[in-house]
Amino acid sequence: MAVDGIPKEVERIASDIRDMRVRGAGRIARAGALALRISAEKYSGDSLEDFKRYMKSVADYIVRTRPTAVSLPNAVSYVISPLFRLNVAQSVEEAKKVVVERANSFIAYSERAVEAIAEIGSRLLHDGEVVLTHCNSQAVVSIISEAFRQGKRVKVIATETRPLFQGYITAKMLADKGVEVTIIPDSAVRSIIKDVDKVIVGADTVTANGAVVNKIGTSLIALIARERGADFYVATETYKFSPYTVWGEPVVIEERSPAEVLPGTLLAENPRLKVLNPSFDVTPSSLVTAIITEIGVIPPQASFLVLEEMYSREAVHDTVRGVEEDV
Amino acid sequence: MAVDGIPKEVERIASDIRDMRVRGAGRIARAGALALRISAEKYSGDSLEDFKRYMKSVADYIVRTRPTAVSLPNAVSYVISPLFRLNVAQSVEEAKKVVVERANSFIAYSERAVEAIAEIGSRLLHDGEVVLTHCNSQAVVSIISEAFRQGKRVKVIATETRPLFQGYITAKMLADKGVEVTIIPDSAVRSIIKDVDKVIVGADTVTANGAVVNKIGTSLIALIARERGADFYVATETYKFSPYTVWGEPVVIEERSPAEVLPGTLLAENPRLKVLNPSFDVTPSSLVTAIITEIGVIPPQASFLVLEEMYSREAVHDTVRGVEEDV
Amino acid sequence: MAVDGIPKEVERIASDIRDMRVRGAGRIARAGALALRISAEKYSGDSLEDFKRYMKSVADYIVRTRPTAVSLPNAVSYVISPLFRLNVAQSVEEAKKVVVERANSFIAYSERAVEAIAEIGSRLLHDGEVVLTHCNSQAVVSIISEAFRQGKRVKVIATETRPLFQGYITAKMLADKGVEVTIIPDSAVRSIIKDVDKVIVGADTVTANGAVVNKIGTSLIALIARERGADFYVATETYKFSPYTVWGEPVVIEERSPAEVLPGTLLAENPRLKVLNPSFDVTPSSLVTAIITEIGVIPPQASFLVLEEMYSREAVHDTVRGVEEDV
Amino acid sequence: MAVDGIPKEVERIASDIRDMRVRGAGRIARAGALALRISAEKYSGDSLEDFKRYMKSVADYIVRTRPTAVSLPNAVSYVISPLFRLNVAQSVEEAKKVVVERANSFIAYSERAVEAIAEIGSRLLHDGEVVLTHCNSQAVVSIISEAFRQGKRVKVIATETRPLFQGYITAKMLADKGVEVTIIPDSAVRSIIKDVDKVIVGADTVTANGAVVNKIGTSLIALIARERGADFYVATETYKFSPYTVWGEPVVIEERSPAEVLPGTLLAENPRLKVLNPSFDVTPSSLVTAIITEIGVIPPQASFLVLEEMYSREAVHDTVRGVEEDV
Amino acid sequence: MAVDGIPKEVERIASDIRDMRVRGAGRIARAGALALRISAEKYSGDSLEDFKRYMKSVADYIVRTRPTAVSLPNAVSYVISPLFRLNVAQSVEEAKKVVVERANSFIAYSERAVEAIAEIGSRLLHDGEVVLTHCNSQAVVSIISEAFRQGKRVKVIATETRPLFQGYITAKMLADKGVEVTIIPDSAVRSIIKDVDKVIVGADTVTANGAVVNKIGTSLIALIARERGADFYVATETYKFSPYTVWGEPVVIEERSPAEVLPGTLLAENPRLKVLNPSFDVTPSSLVTAIITEIGVIPPQASFLVLEEMYSREAVHDTVRGVEEDV
Amino acid sequence: MAVDGIPKEVERIASDIRDMRVRGAGRIARAGALALRISAEKYSGDSLEDFKRYMKSVADYIVRTRPTAVSLPNAVSYVISPLFRLNVAQSVEEAKKVVVERANSFIAYSERAVEAIAEIGSRLLHDGEVVLTHCNSQAVVSIISEAFRQGKRVKVIATETRPLFQGYITAKMLADKGVEVTIIPDSAVRSIIKDVDKVIVGADTVTANGAVVNKIGTSLIALIARERGADFYVATETYKFSPYTVWGEPVVIEERSPAEVLPGTLLAENPRLKVLNPSFDVTPSSLVTAIITEIGVIPPQASFLVLEEMYSREAVHDTVRGVEEDV
């Protein structure tokens, strides 16, 4: 699975991602961009075509370290796709420069993105409002914290988020900053929704047609928010938008261990008992009021426009194929 | 709080109910009916008016042992309300006979009711169908068991039912009888609903306008079933229908201990963290396909008709007032 | 249009109703019942058949004084319909007694009904809740006043209710009793609904299939309440339920003068300008949470049951025909 | 399958029903009632218990001639169920009289029912309105004809009703009476619905919870009517309401021959081609504005009330069991 | 609040806007553009940076004259934003030229826009159709007038539009051109919607996610149109699209004087009476069929695309900040 | 109708299109592009303005051969619109080159488009899924065939598609490739939808606001899919998107011969019988999950973006006018 001539540092980054020493969509993406920059900087050949082929193989190598996280291939595509556009670079030197600049700009961009989301999202919140959130999203916590820092006394309702109770993390992070937080079982959302002004959740992926893939239970909350007329916002960096879905690639919903849900002994005792434990669900665009991104508050249907602006279609397409061929 | 001249046996029954030695809506109701029968049998006076006053005070005494369970006042009302109708009894002897017969018939009725629900409900299930249920309802387990006994290979999806995981009990009860059961987190209902043919849940109370009060999360599942076109059935004995709601009495939703949801330490550490833990929610009649009762499969809006047939309005009204005055 | 042998008092009552000296659904209905009682008391013949024919003609005469108010024919039907049931009366004396008793019982019933609605409806309101109402309904004002009297600090939002601004009357009546009332233009209901816990409105007529005919704008508010998940209650005496709709009679929506809406000069200037000014609209049963009546809180679909219990089908049918033949 | 001592005339009626010489829900039902009357009249024994057993076996015999039409067992149940109530008859003579009277009254009732539906339903139609109908229902044709006879210029849109084109029959029947009729393909309903004031269709069966079983495509039209705010009425005699559904009996949807849909040659050529051709579909009560019956315009949820009033629960239950045991 | 060195003419324009001598979104916007052009033409310095700073301060000065009307900052942003793009101008002369050209092109554009909307919108109307409108929108009146001019006999239903009755103005403008107009109370919209083919309203602001801010009552009409399947169009120039909402800025809903709704005496008498009188409400994109703009008929979700094409994000962002800092 | 100096080959192509010797949206569009290429190649003048005028008149001539098919004017607009952009060509030679290149690229593009749709769409299908389709769409058949070729055992439900039964063609095409296909009457869609995973249909036109014009019955299926939670995809080349709808041009729904629906004799017999036989209906964007195009899976609201990218607004506008003037 290794690639000829790959620098040691890059191999180390790749193994850090693979073995989960680097975690979180943002950090993984920045590590991938860094690996490409290093690979380009250390490249010693002088054939432009060879360089492009080499970068392509490094890109595939990095993407394969975590095939399910969309932020990684997105970062990679952002960094190398310009190489494959007509006339972008006439020499290896120019091409290297393109890669280095794109990698740097991705890293800087990613670091600024959450900050921008916090600033933009905080404007949507008003003093005294009640915000419901689900699971644990850095973007959502940042928005609420920023609004609270501005003196808006927002209150938060956090679902516990079975089976892993990430809602407790959200609740603790916000309570530690002084925000009043009420924890509820996931199943109590409809009982509490009357008091909720806005729902804000994060996203793992946004598809080309504006559907939002996020922690299991998200689409339930969206459905209830629609029934009761509460706004339903999604907060996410645009590099979680999936260009692959433009080409019809389905978003694979990870099925996790039964042990997260049920004590193993109960299962072992009775062969007729099974557990289903899907990690994510899909919220259709029709249930989403707007997506809060670092480039602004957009309708979910604008995801296709965002993807068009962010990616070279052809290069993405090639990257998709590359991954497919290897699998 | 005691009542003059109440027999020892009746006092014992009352304390058994009060201290939860008698549990379950059906058993409580039958114990109440028994207490009234004993009280009538042991009565020694010969003024009809005195007897009626006495039975009224016993009824109030029994109802107060568990003020929130609707099955108890319903049983009591069933047993004594005929006394207060015109010309039902001309003497204490006749009146005693009325009470004893009503008590006996209630007890027998209650014992047959679950059986009848199982028989009727099982006809709604077809070979190979998938049934989703929530929490742990005796009526629902009986329906599925009966259908399975008839050779219909139904499969069951059971929500785990946070915070107390009663879904595990349901799953175990059915799996022990040979039924294949899949457990899911409550929040995964929308992901699994496409494979579900019918939802069947129990009820704690049915109101005069056909709303169903049941375990927290029930109304969420009803909403999803409606969105996806799955039938949503409620299975319950008619003595869980609440005559008090005819008179506008609200159904009180019990708020239970935060400790059921969250490890106490987390709460103790942070005064800004709170927990809401409502036991029940309310599913509007518009989301209910039908209610499976021992008197047949009825539209939820027929609850008012059922209540009219079951109770003497005036007596119920008096009982309500009785309870109110004492509180 | 007069009827042979009708007593002077009855003629006076009839002209008082016709010329609007008697107003309000309840008062009109009671006047009609009184007129029938007087007519029976003063009857001097001794043929039972003649008496029935006579009472029938008096009934038609009274009903024609105000053909659109359903409470009047309902009162009349309540009073005389038993006459036409098999074996109710064997002599004129018995028949007179029936009419007098029914008339008295209707009058007493009607007087107690609003009181009962206030008591029942007040139980649905909780301390601190916000109630939205439309137009000016005695039943709604009574419910809110009773809840307020009990110490529940309910707040009220009253629509102004164009074109005749009856909302101002409601607002003043409640504010005079100490309730805080906010007046809004009819078109602001959707902007304010988020803060509303319950909508309660009156009714002019309830049809056999549970639709509610009430002041123009009511069905809009019902639609918004449904969209936003607020409960939508109707408060009304059961004698506003229309038995005629059982037989397919349409409820006629009164079209009132353009001058109520638009300054006449504007209309006169321009022949291409018209005004539509319907008094009522129809809210389908699917948008109604429940109807608060003097016999309890019922699902709108129970209206057919209520009508069946209240009226002798055949007599109503005949009354309908009688009215039709004369028109 | 014959029954000992059954009169020749009854056998002939039974075979006429079985071999479709008697057709149409109404005619079949009346023939069944007649057969029971004859059987009773010709009975010569003198044991009341024997007579009841005998009538029970005749009833089962008749019901088995057409097991899927609900009007037949309903007629039979109407005629014989009083026999099984306490104290209805003390001798064979009295019991015979009961059966004969019930049979006669059913026959007369059935003949008047369509007439009453036409009269009631016609009141719902106004001059100039556009009515959409589906398939061919005697009740619907009668309503429209009656309204037209009264001088209301209603226009009709008739779906062609694949696969058997019964819509052509409806169109011809109405056009022959002078009504303007427009035929459309079933799939054009949503394109035309904007011009439709009311939809009226017939019913094959109405279930205990108010669902309507009717010709395939009916529930589609109901869905479109709801989307576009057109009223959706069902016109049917109450003896098509199914008491069996009270006990959970599913309504079996007949699957008819593929040849009705597809030319046989096409199917024969290709083993991978199949046809599904269900006769009926189920419209939920939430999509039905009201049901026009001979006893009035009722909400669909009143079907349970109607069934309660029409049938002795116990007898129906026994009849159901009888049929089950024999099958 | 004045700005150093601002020309007299510009100060006069600013005060005309501030004191409402210039009214209407279009006229205000053109006056703002003119003011910027004059400021640029009169500028005498030769440092490009100074000029940009100066123009920025003039822009802020003008925007502050009417902080709530989105057309004004949009015009300003359109005119000066190119200045802040990379390499647009190398000298003060070039920069002046840019400003003058942009100002001229904005003014011309704005004048042509309503005309284009009328032409485009008129194509959507067919002979004989009924159009419902609300309040008084120049764009809507132009569309209907243009369609009428083309010989299409459209009819109009105009809501009176409480509290200020702007619907009368609309009605008069159209009736004067020969169009038949029917005025209705706002609350009668649901009663009349069955006869409506299309709803067309104007807009005060369109947000980045396609929501439409318009006169109070608009969202009610949109809700009813959706319920009844009528198309709901919004007609507006694209310079009413708000770039500020991209950055999360909420659209402030103006709360106007209670005296517009209620006679002051009534309020003065009773301290428990209040009035809420919001000017606008928000219609979500899901209720809007399409927006008719001068660049074509677009889905509401395309508002983000339109905003991206119209504005330099960075400059808008700066303008937003500028306004914020001063407030 | 001919145009001066048009080459013979072009006239032949035009008459082939007009007389339906060339059929199918794709083939017609490619023939139109070819005709323009030939016209340009054969042009012998040297005035650029004359050439542009000439090409404009040829374009109009070709478009008029089939005024209702949107693919033809779209192809023509694609080929010639660049001519009318500023500075694209300085000489006739350059201009000819532009036309030839655009024509060639359109033809190649069109040939590749269905292939791309098949590849992209096939990724959306999973092994064992059930796909419902309506009418006969080359794009849909290609997607299913491609998925089947990849080894995914998809099953298909094909509506018969009255009145012309194009569903049989679809069924045969797929069954011949080995796919299992079930044919149903159009009216059975709601009965079968529970078993359907995805609906995929073609399109005749997609409007600027994302509405889909397709075979009558399509919008019904979309409505049912929404009710039951099945995904509803549309598969179509982007050159079926209509730029004319940007300018408000309505899509004309072709009304076809009654004889397709009803045997002529029946119609002839009765002058009160009529038939409506619209070819297409309109599915609003809110009912469409996504559109599968050769440029990716897009939300329907992205149609405006796609149209903006594909066409020069001005040229399209001119073409529209051209067509209008001649009609």
Side-chain angles (χ1 to χ4, degrees), chain C residues 296-309:
Chain C
V297 179
I298 67 173
Q301 294 86 357
S303 57
F304 179 69
L305 170 64
V306 169
L307 287 166
E308 270 210 348
E309 290 177 351

Side-chain angles (χ1 to χ4, degrees), chain C residues 146-157:
Chain C
E146 171 61 21
F148 190 76
R149 196 195 58 74
Q150 294 164 8
K152 297 172 182 169
R153 280 152 303 177
V154 292
K155 289 178 185 169
V156 170
I157 295 172

Side-chain angles (χ1 to χ4, degrees), chain E residues 123 289 296-299 301 309, chain F residues 208-209 246-249 301 308:
Chain E
R123 293 202 184 100
T289 305
V297 179
I298 67 173
Q301 294 86 356
E309 290 177 352
Chain F
N209 73 328
V246 174
W247 306 111
E249 287 295 307
Q301 294 86 355
E308 270 210 349

Side-chain angles (χ1 to χ4, degrees), chain A residues 243-252 313 316-325, chain F residues 115-127 129 131 142-150 152 154 198 200 233 292-297:
Chain A
Y244 309 101
T245 57
V246 174
W247 306 112
E249 286 296 307
V251 175
V252 178
R313 280 182 194 159
V316 170
H317 209 170
D318 288 352
T319 309
V320 175
R321 284 179 192 278
V323 173
E324 283 175 342
E325 281 155 17
Chain F
E115 202 180 324
I117 290 172
E119 188 185 343
I120 293 172
S122 70
R123 293 203 184 100
L124 296 170
L125 298 183
H126 303 291
D127 191 32
E129 285 192 332
V131 177
S142 299
I143 287 171
I144 296 169
S145 302
E146 172 60 20
F148 190 77
R149 197 195 58 73
Q150 294 164 11
K152 296 171 183 169
V154 292
K198 285 173 179 118
I200 316 182
Y233 290 101
I292 307 167
T293 73
E294 76 279 10
I295 65 163
V297 179

Side-chain angles (χ1 to χ4, degrees), chain A residues 60-213:
Chain A
D60 291 350
Y61 168 72
I62 289 169
V63 165
R64 275 197 305 268
T65 57
R66 282 284 278 279
T68 60
V70 77
S71 66
L72 182 56
N74 277 1
V76 166
S77 172
Y78 179 87
V79 173
I80 70 158
S81 62
L83 280 190
F84 302 90
R85 288 184 199 139
L86 222 56
N87 299 328
V88 163
Q90 312 294 353
S91 67
V92 170
E93 275 324 288
E94 279 179 35
K96 280 183 174 187
K97 206 177 139 205
V98 164
V99 170
V100 170
E101 274 172 2
R102 294 288 281 189
N104 288 343
S105 90
F106 179 84
I107 291 165
Y109 183 95
S110 162
E111 281 165 348
R112 275 197 321 260
V114 171
E115 201 179 326
I117 290 172
E119 188 185 343
I120 294 171
S122 70
R123 293 204 184 99
L124 295 170
L125 297 183
H126 303 292
D127 190 32
E129 285 192 331
V130 176
V131 177
L132 174 82
T133 191
H134 184 58
C135 201
N136 179 247
S137 150
Q138 196 194 350
V140 174
V141 169
S142 300
I143 286 171
I144 295 169
S145 303
E146 171 62 19
F148 190 77
R149 197 195 58 74
Q150 294 163 10
K152 297 172 183 168
R153 280 153 303 178
V154 291
K155 289 178 186 169
V156 170
I157 295 172
T159 59
E160 55 177 25
T161 317
R162 278 284 292 165
L164 294 181
F165 298 108
Q166 293 99 324
Y168 295 171
I169 307 174
T170 298
K172 205 174 165 336
M173 287 169 77
L174 288 168
D176 285 351
K177 294 193 168 155
V179 182
E180 285 188 28
V181 184
T182 300
I183 294 170
I184 59 170
D186 300 336
S187 58
V189 170
R190 194 165 175 275
S191 296
I192 211 74
I193 195 74
K194 192 97 189 51
D195 299 323
V196 172
D197 294 291
K198 285 172 181 119
V199 177
I200 316 183
V201 298
D204 281 81
T205 304
V206 177
T207 73
N209 72 328
V212 173
V213 181

